[in-house]
Amino acid sequence: MIISGKIEETREQIKKWKREGFSVGLVPTMGYLHEGHQSLMEAARRENDKVAVSVFVNPIQFGPNEDFASYPRDFEKDAALCERTGVDLIFHPEAEEMYDEDFCTYVDMDGLTKELCGKSRPTHFRGVQTVVSKLFHIIPADRAYFGEKDAQQLAVVRKMARDLSMDIQIVGCPIIREADGLAKSSRNTYLNAEERQAALVLSRSLTEGKRLIEQGERDAQKVKRTIQAVITQESLAKVDYVEIVDFADITPLRNLEDARQGEVLCAIAVLIGKTRLIDNFIVKVDKAKKE
Ligand code: AMP
């Protein structure tokens, strides 16, 4: 397994593989890897000859009062997990390698980024799009793998790739959860024992919402209220948002049947103590069910 912190060296290696006729899958991450990340690597492993993983805590996607400094890091453990999973290359640059002192070019988007996490994290997606674009230039992969855990990010990256005619296929992968339902996240390490227990309210509330939809409910307000009511019962939890949107363009839905491609995203962000956690589910809503 190759480990490189340098842009040019990484690009040369990927170009060499491409010249040799190998397909390349890329998994962008911020490290502190867990089974969620690993599932993306395994998908990339199945579908490509070579797998590259980037491990980079991207400063420009964090707001001024967010957790950039305290974000968990353990590169040795990450490298061991990558090695075990059959990764061929890890790109692990320093921030100075990615961003020159006079760096001033960003990738931004008018739609999709304003709702959900964009409301409380107004510069977050600009940072994500910019770093993902850079990674796509440094590692010109055939496919890039993103988790549905960050469903808005997946939708934004897909749209960016389409709008900017990027020659890469964006592959979405399902959410990996702990045995008790909590979505795996590097940020779960911030939770103390009591908060860890309280955090179960995220998946529990979503299960309730999903059940309503499966029973035929199509009124987004009613589903949202049910989810909110479950979260409110947990005293350590504070709702940032509960939203139901069209997964294709992240616009709010009143009726679930209005999703243009039939895919509805129900997404929540909840503060458990000081830790902000996100979770979601995506459902296909069959228009015919109404009649
Ligand atoms: P992060 O390191 O948190 O930036 O995540 C890197 C990639 O892993 C993103 O595409 C995430 O959506 C994905 N990911 C993180 N947690 C999970 C999870 N529990 N299940 C599936 N994918 C995940």
Side-chain angles (χ1 to χ4, degrees):
M1 186 175 70
I2 299 164
I3 298 176
S4 174
K6 296 292 167 205
I7 291 173
E8 279 317 317
E9 186 183 64
T10 301
R11 204 198 316 266
E12 283 313 311
Q13 182 58 53
I14 305 292
K15 275 199 206 155
K16 178 168 170 287
W17 282 334
K18 301 296 297 180
R19 272 198 308 275
E20 290 166 353
F22 293 125
S23 61
V24 176
L26 167 65
V27 181
T29 82
M30 296 206 299
Y32 214 72
L33 304 176
H34 51 66
E35 288 90 337
H37 300 108
Q38 201 171 14
S39 73
L40 308 191
M41 294 176 204
E42 283 163 355
R45 185 66 286 162
R46 282 193 298 276
E47 295 169 9
N48 302 274
D49 300 313
K50 300 286 180 187
V51 176
V53 172
S54 59
V55 174
F56 178 58
V57 185
N58 175 36
I60 68 166
Q61 72 185 66
F62 289 79
N65 298 317
E66 293 181 1
D67 57 343
F68 172 68
S70 58
Y71 195 84
R73 294 159 169 91
D74 187 344
F75 184 68
E76 260 178 46
K77 199 158 158 253
D78 289 348
L81 186 143
C82 288
E83 181 102 62
R84 278 203 307 281
T85 316
V87 168
D88 299 287
L89 180 146
I90 303 181
F91 178 53
H92 180 50
E94 296 292 334
E96 299 73 40
E97 177 74 3
M98 292 292 271
Y99 301 111
D100 290 339
E101 244 175 74
D102 58 351
F103 183 90
C104 58
T105 306
Y106 296 88
V107 181
D108 215 344
M109 191 177 280
D110 285 338
L112 278 83
T113 61
K114 310 297 173 228
E115 300 291 333
L116 309 183
C117 289
K119 283 194 177 148
S120 53
R121 307 186 74 191
T123 58
H124 172 67
F125 287 108
R126 183 175 96 136
V128 169
Q129 288 160 237
T130 303
V131 80
V132 169
S133 303
K134 280 177 71 79
L135 290 169
F136 287 178
H137 283 107
I138 297 163
I139 303 177
D142 298 271
R143 298 174 194 87
Y145 295 79
F146 292 85
E148 287 175 359
K149 164 80 188 347
D150 301 87
Q152 186 176 17
Q153 170 174 282
L154 170 59
V156 164
V157 170
R158 262 200 186 124
K159 186 76 168 80
M160 175 186 77
R162 197 163 58 242
D163 282 357
L164 298 182
S165 308
M166 291 174 167
D167 187 18
I168 189 162
Q169 187 190 335
I170 308 301
V171 183
C173 299
I175 300 178
I176 304 296
R177 297 178 179 279
E178 303 286 355
D180 60 8
L182 180 67
K184 291 199 184 249
S185 164
S186 311
R187 289 192 167 99
N188 291 348
T189 77
Y190 297 149
L191 304 170
N192 65 30
E194 200 188 350
E195 290 168 341
R196 171 66 183 74
Q197 193 58 30
L200 291 176
V201 78
L202 279 90
S203 53
R204 201 165 60 238
S205 68
L206 288 174
T207 303
E208 276 298 302
K210 199 168 179 191
R211 197 170 53 83
L212 265 192
I213 297 171
E214 280 164 2
Q215 286 169 352
E217 184 56 67
R218 294 293 177 260
D219 182 338
Q221 279 304 336
K222 286 192 184 152
V223 179
K224 274 164 52 172
R225 258 187 255 127
T226 298
I227 293 171
Q228 261 152 355
V230 176
I231 301 172
T232 310
Q233 285 164 17
E234 173 51 66
S235 59
L236 292 181
K238 188 166 168 288
V239 172
D240 176 3
Y241 65 75
V242 173
E243 291 293 346
I244 298 187
V245 299
D246 187 334
F247 186 41
D249 59 8
I250 315 290
T251 51
L253 291 171
R254 293 174 71 162
N255 186 315
L256 273 59
E257 292 185 3
D258 295 338
R260 290 182 311 161
Q261 289 156 25
E263 280 196 310
V264 172
L265 167 66
C266 179
I268 63 177
V270 179
L271 277 156
I272 302 289
K274 287 197 174 107
T275 305
R276 185 175 174 280
L277 299 176
I278 57 171
D279 199 349
N280 71 79
F281 63 85
I282 298 165
V283 274
K284 286 214 186 302
V285 172
D286 182 1
K287 286 191 199 297
K289 259 192 173 166
K290 199 179 182 184
E291 278 91 66

